[in-house]
Amino acid sequence: MRIETLQVGENFVYVLAVAGRAAVVDPGVADPVSAYLEEAGLTLELILLTHYHGDHTGGVVALRRASHDVVGPAGGSIELDRTVVHGDSIDFAGHPIRALAVPGHTTHDTAYYLPEAKALFTGDLLFACGCGRMFERDSHQMWGSLCRLRNLPDDTCVYGGHDYTLENLAFAAHLEPDNVAIRERLKQFRADPAGTMPSTIGEEKRTNPFLRCDSEAVAAAAGRRGGTPVEVFAAIRGMKDRW
Ligand SMILES: [Fe+2]
């Protein structure tokens, strides 16, 4: 399986390709996706949605055809061919894709995990070195969802929904100035700003403060030494919102 990243402004759209067949994740726009599919000689079979914000779904109406499926969680106004819940498996060209419920950014956020390809599509729940804002759920649920993703194998490739990497890295370095892995990641980013995605679960565990709320360093930076991970998460999410 080949995974292509299409960047449109700060949005990422991902195209999965197997032997001329394609699936697309969160097509916020249609034209760049159509152009890529045509150029690559791919036939679209499946559209996967992580949640229902317009910048992830804006291209669905133009892209959808009777011959393929639009799959996503409940909670949106887009007509789905299949509604997924946590633990569901979707087949794409013989490859299983597991739906993982990760509420936090919205009520129905869903991540898609491909164990064979070691790939994880996280929508607006998890970004490179950051996480989404909590629009519909609370810190308790968001932290639980981040832990669900953190428990996947370290070599799982993480494909997030947006490129907020520079500001995320700056915030992470502000919280943990002594974290060598964050300094190294910042250096790599400056050398290759286009190489943001994918990262890996292992890299996020070392550098993403929102996956490190049970570390002493992040708790201290949040002014919550001895606090629970949820309290630490709430504190740094609030700090980031005002950053
Ligand atoms: Fe969103």
Side-chain angles (χ1 to χ4, degrees):
M1 178 181 296
R2 203 173 76 245
I3 299 172
E4 184 71 27
T5 301
L6 306 181
Q7 183 160 4
V8 184
E10 290 183 325
N11 276 44
F12 288 120
V13 179
Y14 299 105
V15 178
L16 289 54
V18 177
R21 304 162 69 176
V24 61
V25 181
D26 282 356
V29 288
D31 288 350
V33 177
S34 300
Y36 175 76
L37 293 173
E38 193 174 323
E39 188 188 317
L42 297 169
T43 303
L44 185 60
E45 291 190 0
L46 175 66
I47 295 176
L48 294 167
L49 303 176
T50 62
H51 69 297
Y52 292 102
H53 287 159
D55 54 346
H56 294 252
T57 59
V60 172
V61 169
L63 286 171
R64 89 181 300 162
R65 300 280 179 275
S67 56
H68 64 241
D69 288 336
V70 179
V71 172
S77 57
I78 289 173
E79 188 187 337
L80 299 175
D81 297 293
R82 179 173 170 189
T83 304
V84 286
V85 297
H86 179 69
D88 278 356
S89 187
I90 305 137
D91 177 84
F92 168 59
H95 297 266
I97 300 174
R98 268 175 50 204
L100 305 176
V102 285
H105 175 67
T106 69
T107 301
H108 298 285
D109 293 308
T110 297
Y112 295 99
Y113 175 49
L114 287 73
E116 289 175 357
K118 297 185 175 181
L120 176 70
F121 298 92
T122 57
D124 284 359
L125 198 282
L126 178 65
F127 303 132
C129 218
C131 74
R133 287 172 184 261
M134 289 181 291
F135 286 131
E136 297 175 12
R137 290 290 153 180
D138 61 20
S139 296
H140 182 78
Q141 284 171 310
M142 187 91 171
W143 172 247
S145 294
L146 289 167
C147 288
R148 173 167 275 165
L149 301 185
R150 189 176 71 164
N151 286 337
L152 293 171
D154 279 1
D155 60 354
T156 304
C157 291
V158 175
Y159 296 85
H162 292 284
D163 181 8
Y164 302 144
T165 311
L166 182 56
E167 66 172 66
N168 288 345
L169 276 166
F171 180 69
H174 168 74
L175 285 183
E176 291 191 86
D178 297 329
N179 184 320
V180 176
I182 292 172
R183 286 211 297 265
E184 184 57 33
R185 191 169 184 183
L186 198 47
K187 210 163 84 183
Q188 279 173 11
F189 178 81
R190 285 184 175 132
D192 180 18
T196 294
M197 285 293 166
S199 66
T200 63
I201 288 291
E203 188 174 24
E204 296 305 324
K205 281 159 73 171
R206 290 190 294 277
T207 60
N208 188 330
F210 297 100
L211 293 188
R212 297 172 52 75
C213 295
D214 43 6
S215 81
E216 277 182 29
V218 174
R224 296 290 192 282
R225 222 183 273 268
T228 66
V230 173
E231 289 166 353
V232 173
F233 175 82
I236 65 167
R237 186 58 263 179
M239 289 166 74
K240 180 65 166 51
D241 290 346
R242 298 185 294 277
W243 178 252

